[in-house]
Amino acid sequence: MCRSIKTLRPPALPGEATEEEIRAAALQYVRKVSGFRAPAAHNREVFDAAVDAVAEATAGLLAGLEVRGSKAPAATA
């Protein structure tokens, strides 16, 4: 998808993903999908809302993943 987005779950990430790492991945995703590195002022609100939604979905995904060989869910944010 986008080489700038890194895997945020163990074992690729040794600890829990931080809120900043999740938001950075969400921003890269929205940039890739929208085709904008930085949106024009008239698109800023919808762009930022999309980043927030993707970050929230990512945090939920990471919180719910069960990694084999791990006793606890992969990560929480």
Side-chain angles (χ1 to χ4, degrees):
M1 161 87 192
C2 183
R3 287 179 266 172
S4 298
I5 300 174
K6 64 181 183 176
T7 302
L8 297 179
R9 67 162 180 81
L13 191 67
E16 293 183 355
T18 65
E19 197 171 315
E20 292 79 23
E21 290 170 319
I22 291 171
R23 183 145 183 94
L27 177 59
Q28 288 300 321
Y29 175 80
V30 172
R31 284 177 173 168
K32 183 70 168 186
V33 170
S34 70
F36 295 115
R37 177 158 171 36
H42 63 278
N43 287 326
R44 171 60 63 190
E45 187 175 338
V46 70
F47 187 92
D48 290 343
V51 173
D52 292 342
V54 172
E56 185 177 335
T58 301
L61 171 66
L62 292 173
L65 285 177
E66 188 175 315
V67 179
R68 288 182 182 220
S70 175
K71 296 180 184 200
T76 59

